[in-house]
Amino acid sequence: MLASERHQLILSLVREHGAVRLTELVERLGVTAVTVRRDVTELADRGLLTRVHGGVTLTRPRGGPPEHGRATASMFGPVVPGALVGMVTPSVEYYWPPVVQGAQSTVAAAGGRLVLRASSYDAAEDRRQVTKLLERGVQTLLVAPATSGRGALDLLRWLGSLSVPVVLVERLPPPELPTLALDAATTAHALGAGLAVRHLVSLGHRGVGLVTSRSSPTSRALRTGWRETVESLGLDAGTALDLDVPVYGAPGWTAEYDALLARCRRAGVGALLVHSDREAIGLIERARDGGIAVPGELAVVTYDDEVAAASDPPLTAVCPQKHRLGAVAAELALARLADPAGRPVHRLQLWPTLVVRESCGGAPDSAA
């Protein structure tokens, strides 16, 4: 029997009975349990049925009358007061502290408590940390899981099957899981890159390069937004340099940064979008030592705005609203806890802002 024939038979059985156990499917189809699990996983990923413990059921759309009598109000609807909320982030450094603080303040304002665990951009470690929080008794979860690489799809499927509500933070399910019904709060990083490129073009630059120092979901989104904006504005493809450098302060960083600046000069690139502040500050330092004036000969916009204002000159920056992102994610989690079945899936995206300072020659101390 072909896979397509098995899929049709599985769907017809589920439509007829409402729910079917995997053991029954093995018997009816005459194939191994491994084959059945593979078939139902594919159908579930496509949103055609829902996996439950030991079987499958019809996919039921979210929505309908909400529950009552145990919640207080928030901007997203009722929330459960006094909740124990778990949170797993890939780091407790760099980008994530303001996100955690935003979530913590929201949970505390609702009379609850946030319990934080750190992972390491690894699906297996993400699952281990979530499991520890579930054993701790958390009622809802905020998670920034791995969405690519080994085990990522299985991790996301597992998160979608948990009995407690899960809200993704700065993550969206990949195209392979188009109907994974998890709420999410994210930043429009690609749009933020576009804001930076458009600002530099408005100042007269026709060559805008991108500099990144690490592989991360943010870097990938920035690259997408930078490339799409460069193409849509018809900028010179020969000056659209996509460059990678070591982390500021890493062994050999000065030579690498000097080589990057020399390459920009040869290509006629007079403006850079840099992820993140530390690397932008390092580039300005090496430019100054090499006799390149910033912003006179090179305009720099950084992405993150953590310490950009303290740079010399102060850095124009794209600023993700990290504290607000954490707060919104926590509000979504508390609202989902109050109404686990009646709410439609929420996918909220916050726009970053552009803070203009001195490093690109624009009027300082303004925001767009």
Side-chain angles (χ1 to χ4, degrees):
M1 185 183 298
L2 297 175
S4 58
E5 295 173 328
R6 294 197 305 273
H7 292 176
Q8 288 301 318
L9 181 54
I10 291 170
L11 290 172
S12 66
L13 288 170
V14 174
R15 283 194 293 267
E16 180 181 354
H17 300 286
V20 182
R21 296 188 61 79
L22 295 182
T23 53
E24 296 175 33
L25 292 176
V26 170
E27 183 177 347
R28 291 291 297 269
L29 297 173
V31 295
T32 65
V34 171
T35 298
V36 167
R37 283 195 294 269
R38 185 168 57 242
D39 287 342
V40 299
T41 295
E42 182 176 341
L43 291 168
D45 288 350
R46 291 160 56 191
L48 300 177
L49 51 75
T50 299
R51 291 197 64 171
V52 295
H53 183 67
V56 291
T57 68
L58 289 174
T59 296
R60 293 179 174 85
R62 296 198 181 208
E67 299 174 1
H68 297 284
R70 60 186 180 115
T72 58
S74 81
M75 66 177 292
F76 296 116
V79 301
V80 173
L84 183 63
V85 180
M87 186 171 191
V88 177
T89 60
S91 170
V92 291
E93 300 176 328
Y94 180 52
Y95 187 91
W96 290 98
V99 180
V100 175
Q101 292 161 9
Q104 186 175 28
S105 63
T106 296
V107 173
R113 182 186 172 200
L114 183 76
V115 181
L116 174 68
R117 282 185 169 267
S119 186
S120 57
Y121 295 95
D122 176 77
E125 180 63 11
D126 290 344
R127 183 162 181 158
R128 189 180 79 85
Q129 297 294 2
V130 169
T131 300
K132 292 291 186 182
L133 288 172
L134 293 172
E135 293 171 352
R136 177 72 172 75
V138 299
Q139 297 164 270
T140 184
L141 284 160
L142 308 174
V143 187
T147 56
S148 62
R150 185 182 180 90
L153 292 182
D154 286 340
L155 170 66
L156 289 165
R157 293 185 189 107
W158 178 69
L159 290 174
S161 73
L162 295 179
S163 58
V164 303
V166 176
V167 175
L168 302 179
V169 184
E170 286 292 37
R171 303 288 188 269
L172 288 172
E176 294 89 340
L177 300 175
T179 60
L180 185 66
L182 293 179
D183 295 327
T186 62
T187 300
H189 292 304
L191 182 139
L195 290 177
V197 173
R198 285 181 167 84
H199 178 67
L200 291 164
V201 170
S202 75
L203 299 175
H205 294 281
R206 298 296 298 172
V208 180
L210 174 69
V211 179
T212 56
S213 62
R214 59 183 63 82
S215 176
S216 74
T218 300
S219 294
R220 291 194 292 272
L222 294 181
R223 181 165 288 107
T224 297
W226 166 80
R227 183 180 297 114
E228 289 177 350
T229 307
V230 165
E231 292 174 356
S232 69
L233 296 179
L235 301 186
D236 183 1
T239 60
L241 298 182
D242 184 354
L243 306 165
D244 185 69
V245 294
V247 173
Y248 175 52
W253 76 273
T254 55
E256 294 280 353
Y257 283 38
D258 290 347
L260 180 148
L261 291 167
R263 183 176 175 183
C264 288
R265 268 192 161 175
R266 290 194 301 270
V269 174
L272 294 173
L273 168 60
V274 185
H275 182 223
S276 59
D277 291 4
R278 291 175 293 180
E279 285 66 45
I281 289 171
L283 278 170
I284 290 177
E285 176 185 326
R286 299 310 302 166
R288 181 187 298 114
D289 289 352
I292 302 172
V294 178
E297 297 174 86
L298 179 68
V300 178
V301 177
T302 184
Y303 196 93
D304 269 352
D305 201 24
E306 294 179 323
V307 293
S311 175
D312 182 23
L315 279 157
T316 293
V318 180
C319 178
Q321 302 300 305
K322 290 172 273 193
H323 189 279
R324 182 60 187 148
L325 179 76
V328 166
E331 290 170 1
L332 284 174
L334 294 173
R336 174 64 65 192
L337 183 61
D339 186 12
R343 287 167 56 83
V345 174
H346 282 51
R347 298 277 171 87
L348 300 180
Q349 190 176 68
L350 304 186
W351 284 25
T353 56
L354 178 70
V355 182
V356 179
R357 300 190 180 99
E358 297 175 18
S359 64
C360 56
D365 299 322
S366 63

